[in-house]
Amino acid sequence: MTTNDLFTPIEIGPYTFSNRIFMAPMTRCRAPENIPTSLMATYYEQRGTAGLIITEGSQVSPQGVGYPATPGIHSEAQVEGWKVVTNAVHEKGGHIFLQLWHTGRVSHPDHHGGEPPVAPSAIAPKGEAATYEGMKPFVTPRALEPDEIPGVVEQYRQAAENAKEAGFDGVEIHGANGYLPDQFLRDVSNKRTDAYGGSVENRARFHLEITEAVTAVWGGGKVGMRLSPSGAFNDMSDSDPVTTFTYLAGELNRFDLAYLHIVNALERDIRHGSTVVPPFRLREAYKGVLLINGGYDKTSGNEVIAGGMADAVSFGQLYIANPDLVKRLETDAPLNTPDPSTFYGGGEKGYTDYPFQE
Ligand SMILES: Cc1cc2nc3c(=O)[nH]c(=O)nc-3n(C[C@H](O)[C@H](O)[C@H](O)COP(=O)(O)O)c2cc1C
């Protein structure tokens, strides 16, 4: 019997990806006016040897914006901008999924003409929002009215249509990291008393409705879902995360998705006292392709695949600094070190100027 590792091709939906070294979604704040640029096309094209690129979060609507200079997928100009990106990646022989994003309560009135951001419940997270004038304390969001929620689901459906027009190979729903769907899912941020709050079935409803809407556009095999069961980022927690996340993972089986993408407990989550959901609990609950993320390197990535705990691994920071990560891992070449001061915002420096292996 042969053992799979990071370099074994993998079939997902209609695609065969040439390796399991996927690029994790990463916001880089280099899209002025929220429109993707040709510099972004260069950045993604440089990383085109990844088995699959998952783009940075891309807002499904103006209401979904929560950070400066992040790209959207709700206007014609944005679709045109993304076309340049998808063409560049395809020319390199790569595959690219767009991450669909709505930041919900972790936005700021500065991004919404002075109006508060929206959320399942009017509960302000602890922490600060990123604005064009720097960091500002989070405000209390406005709870979405029950009759507004179908409109937000429609924003996801339309964004999925737009992503198709922009030439993507699929989309990933950003259901993780304390953004709008995660705010519905976890009981720290959802105190609703209607069909979207209370029981785990109700709190998972928003995830499942947007999954329904997006898979209606793309078919299940071209749609991924990202979840962070152990994540404390954006002031998140849940009173019973194992039950919450295994329930949702089980319900997702019926969509025959491209993959479920799990973010492991990161160092900062553990520091914030998060309850760790062991990845094997999701592996048991979810029957399809499992993509895992969070602090992996070549050795631990090969181990998690060989051990059957995941089918592929996504790498974040290593891809920031190593456009040719696949080749470097293959040849055990030294890795460039990422520079956190250039993660968010700026131009080519720390973005498209990391050297390729000689
Ligand atoms: C600069 C930066 C931006 C990020 N932006 C996103 C994002 O837009 N969407 C998302 O789901 N995760 C985002 N993440 C989280 C990463 O996808 C990943 O979960 C994290 O970096 C841990 O993986 P790693 O240890 O391989 O870097 C971001 C991480 C970094 C470092």
Side-chain angles (χ1 to χ4, degrees):
M1 203 181 94
T2 54
T3 309
N4 291 333
D5 66 11
L6 287 168
F7 306 97
T8 316
I10 182 168
E11 281 181 29
I12 293 188
Y15 302 116
T16 303
F17 299 137
S18 56
N19 59 65
R20 301 171 186 224
I21 305 165
F22 291 8
M23 180 173 167
M26 282 178 293
T27 291
R28 305 300 308 276
C29 300
R30 282 167 168 86
E33 313 282 324
N34 307 112
I35 297 170
T37 64
S38 57
L39 183 63
M40 287 169 58
T42 303
Y43 165 74
Y44 283 114
E45 182 257 311
Q46 288 178 340
R47 287 151 184 79
T49 52
L52 174 66
I53 293 171
I54 304 154
T55 71
E56 62 208 281
S58 186
Q59 297 89 225
V60 298
S61 65
Q63 193 187 55
V65 177
Y67 296 80
T70 50
I73 185 68
H74 50 84
S75 78
E76 214 174 300
Q78 290 163 348
V79 170
E80 291 308 309
W82 279 123
K83 275 184 190 166
V84 181
V85 174
T86 58
N87 279 334
V89 171
H90 290 152
E91 271 187 20
K92 180 104 180 230
H95 290 94
I96 182 165
F97 277 26
L98 180 74
Q99 191 184 48
L100 300 176
W101 194 25
H102 191 310
T103 60
R105 69 175 185 166
V106 299
S107 185
H108 189 274
D110 282 10
H111 295 298
H112 306 287
E115 296 296 315
V118 299
S121 299
I123 302 168
K126 287 195 203 71
E128 293 181 320
T131 78
Y132 285 97
E133 293 169 2
M135 302 304 287
K136 297 187 180 179
F138 284 130
V139 302
T140 302
R142 178 176 73 75
L144 285 161
E145 297 294 336
D147 64 1
E148 283 180 286
I149 295 175
V152 184
V153 175
E154 169 58 20
Q155 292 170 8
Y156 279 86
R157 196 203 59 76
Q158 184 62 53
E161 291 269 11
N162 295 349
K164 219 172 198 183
E165 196 192 327
F168 285 98
D169 300 302
V171 292
E172 174 177 288
I173 298 170
H174 194 346
N177 297 352
Y179 298 110
L180 186 67
D182 202 24
Q183 292 160 26
F184 271 95
L185 183 63
R186 295 205 251 177
D187 58 11
V188 71
S189 46
N190 183 344
K191 305 290 180 196
R192 297 181 76 92
T193 53
D194 61 8
Y196 292 89
S199 65
V200 62
E201 290 82 1
N202 282 355
R203 284 182 282 116
R205 192 177 306 282
F206 186 73
H207 269 90
L208 296 171
E209 286 186 354
I210 57 180
T211 306
E212 183 93 51
V214 170
T215 55
V217 173
W218 277 94
K222 296 178 179 176
V223 176
M225 168 65 80
R226 190 170 222 223
L227 300 176
S228 51
S230 310
F233 184 54
N234 284 326
D235 199 23
M236 293 306 285
S237 62
D238 189 80
S239 59
D240 185 1
V242 171
T243 302
T244 299
F245 283 91
T246 53
Y247 170 77
L248 176 56
E251 287 299 302
L252 289 171
N253 283 320
R254 71 178 131 104
F255 297 100
D256 208 8
L257 296 177
Y259 60 79
L260 176 62
H261 190 176
I262 296 297
V263 187
N264 276 337
L266 304 174
E267 189 271 328
R268 67 168 182 230
D269 301 316
I270 293 162
R271 218 176 338 108
H272 285 95
S274 90
T275 308
V276 175
V277 178
F280 78 85
R281 297 303 301 267
L282 283 306
R283 189 58 158 170
E284 282 169 356
Y286 187 69
K287 307 301 175 203
V289 171
L290 195 81
L291 174 56
I292 203 144
N293 168 260
Y296 286 93
D297 59 16
K298 178 175 174 175
T299 305
S300 58
N302 277 333
E303 276 171 9
V304 76
I305 294 173
M309 288 303 297
D311 301 293
V313 179
S314 76
F315 295 84
Q317 295 202 27
L318 288 185
Y319 261 118
I320 290 183
N322 298 278
D324 51 355
L325 183 64
V326 174
K327 186 164 168 222
R328 284 176 190 256
L329 294 184
E330 211 160 24
T331 57
D332 290 315
L335 298 173
N336 300 321
T337 308
D339 169 14
S341 74
T342 52
F343 279 5
Y344 303 103
E348 293 171 18
K349 187 171 177 301
Y351 190 53
T352 52
D353 65 351
Y354 284 105
F356 284 72
Q357 198 184 331
E358 291 296 311

